[in-house]
Structure formats: C-alpha cells, structure tokens
Amino acid sequence: MIIINIEVKNIFEEFDVIAENAQNIAIFTRDIELQKNEVLIINLFIEKIDSLLLKTGLIEEELNLLLFLKFTIESVLLEIQMIICLKENKIDLAWSALIQAQGQISIAAKNHPFNPSNLDGFINRLNLYEKLLFPKIMFASVGGIIKETKCTICKLEYEECEHMKGKFYSGKLCLREIHEMELEEASIVENPASKMNRILTTTYNGKDVDIFTLI
Ligand SMILES: [Zn+2]
C-alpha cells in the first residue's frame, strides 16, 4: 500500500517506536511508575491519531491504516493497564482491561493492512494471561429473536447493507447495533459472545465472595 500523506507516514513511523517501547514496559516485573508513565505516552499518541482521523483529504487506505494503528496501540495500552490494576489489587478492572485488549486486537487483526499473523504472538500472550492469571469462570449469555438492527456506517438495517461488522470503512469501524430484540432465554455458558458478562460471585467457606479474590 502507498501512503501519500506525510503526517500519516510520520505517525506510522512513530507507531513503531511507541509500540516497541510499550512492549518493553508491558512486562509484569517492570516498575509500576514506568508503566503509569507509558499509559500517558500512549494516550498522547492516540490523541494524535484521533486528530489525524478527523483531517479531510485522506484516502480510505490511510484512514483505515490510522484506525488499525489506533486499535493495535490501544490493546497494548490496555495490557499495561491490566498489569497496573493487578499490582494495585483491582482485579475486576484488570479483567475488564484484558477482555477489552483481546477485543481491540482481534478487530485490528481483521483489518491488518499487511500480514495479520504478525499479531499472533500478542494475541496468544493475551489469551495466556487469561488462562494463567484468572480462574476459570462462567458467563451470562442471552438469546432471542433480533427484530431491528442498524449498521453504524450507513445507518441502514444491517442485514440489508453491504458493510461487514468488524471491518473498517474510511477510518470507521462497522458495528451491527441491535435496536430491538425479543428475549427468549438467558443462560450460563463457557464461551460467551462477551466475556464482560461474567459471573461475579461464588461460595467459599459458606460465604458469598468475589469470584476472583474469594474475599
Ligand atoms: Zn451499512
């Protein structure tokens, strides 16, 4: 792909430096203050991407590349936030950060402009965190008949338009919004659509306790 815009080119080069530094900090043993500082650095970089995304005159490939860089660096940011939360004993926030990091990087992989397998190592690491650091838990899931949906790109009924959820279009992510649904069942499952909807408590020593900390 050819990047024409000089600012996009610069951001692309800056991304390499930021991502490399961030990976060196996104290791559990690194000092927490260094990690908090890295969060600030990445947030500033994301602000830069956001302002460039609003710029007119960029071609579709450039806009999609910017959004790809944003989703990728956001998932590294979330990984560092997960580590900080674990160190500060904020376990439920650590879980949310990890699940969001997994979500962001899987969207980035779907929209990788070059070679999606470059992200495999990072995706595996996030999956390993889930298995090694947290207990096996169950999730809530709802099923029903979807009556009305909307595409976030063209605002038409999702089933009637040509966009695909999870794909980038001119720097915007396509989502299938559910506007009306007839609820049929709610169940407890092992593999849910969203791991944010998790079981919160369990019984331990005869008491209801937090499922992660047992406190
Ligand atoms: Zn659409």
Side-chain angles (χ1 to χ4, degrees):
M1 94 178 258
I2 303 158
I3 308 167
I4 303 162
N5 185 281
I6 187 73
E7 285 177 276
V8 177
K9 230 176 226 171
N10 289 343
I11 283 270
F12 192 43
E13 280 168 17
E14 196 181 342
F15 171 84
D16 276 345
V17 178
I18 297 252
E20 200 182 325
N21 286 340
Q23 277 179 326
N24 190 26
I25 298 298
I27 296 171
F28 194 87
T29 59
R30 303 301 191 213
D31 183 74
I32 190 168
E33 294 308 320
L34 278 180
Q35 290 170 332
K36 286 181 176 175
N37 189 50
E38 198 62 29
V39 167
L40 298 178
I41 293 169
I42 297 176
N43 270 324
L44 282 176
F45 183 63
I46 291 172
E47 277 175 29
K48 262 195 202 175
I49 297 179
D50 279 339
S51 62
L52 205 47
L53 273 168
L54 295 173
K55 208 177 144 85
T56 51
L58 299 181
I59 57 170
E60 164 137 35
E61 282 89 347
E62 289 169 338
L63 290 165
N64 290 345
L65 173 69
L66 286 173
L67 198 58
F68 166 77
L69 298 180
K70 179 177 170 171
F71 271 71
T72 305
I73 204 68
E74 265 178 356
S75 56
V76 181
L77 172 79
L78 285 158
E79 181 190 17
I80 297 173
Q81 283 174 328
M82 176 202 72
I83 294 172
I84 293 170
C85 288
L86 285 172
K87 288 179 177 179
E88 292 181 336
N89 210 20
K90 295 170 184 164
I91 308 301
D92 50 347
L93 289 179
W95 174 264
S96 300
L98 173 61
I99 299 309
Q100 287 177 70
Q102 289 174 339
Q104 296 291 92
I105 204 63
S106 83
I107 291 169
K110 269 188 209 156
N111 292 278
H112 201 299
F114 315 110
N115 181 8
S117 62
N118 286 349
L119 297 176
D120 286 354
F122 183 61
I123 291 170
N124 287 340
R125 190 161 83 235
L126 294 181
N127 291 338
L128 276 176
Y129 276 136
E130 186 187 330
K131 289 195 173 67
L132 295 174
L133 297 177
F134 296 90
K136 191 170 168 53
I137 57 174
M138 300 292 276
F139 305 89
S141 172
V142 293
I145 301 162
I146 293 167
K147 298 251 166 127
E148 193 192 332
T149 60
K150 218 177 231 183
C151 164
T152 53
I153 301 295
C154 65
K155 312 292 175 203
L156 292 175
E157 184 75 30
Y158 176 79
E159 275 67 28
E160 287 165 14
C161 80
E162 289 183 352
H163 300 112
M164 277 169 62
K165 63 177 179 179
K167 281 276 181 193
F168 293 164
Y169 297 90
S170 296
K172 291 198 171 70
L173 171 67
C174 173
L175 293 170
R176 175 182 180 241
E177 285 178 346
I178 296 171
H179 283 249
E180 201 191 326
M181 176 172 154
E182 205 171 280
L183 188 65
E184 284 200 316
E185 44 121 26
S187 49
I188 302 297
V189 298
E190 230 174 278
N191 295 305
S194 166
K195 286 187 173 173
M196 294 298 260
N197 307 328
R198 61 180 177 84
I199 304 295
L200 299 174
T201 59
T202 187
T203 306
Y204 182 67
N205 284 345
K207 283 191 212 149
D208 264 357
V209 291
D210 181 277
I211 202 158
F212 288 143
T213 62
L214 298 184
I215 295 290

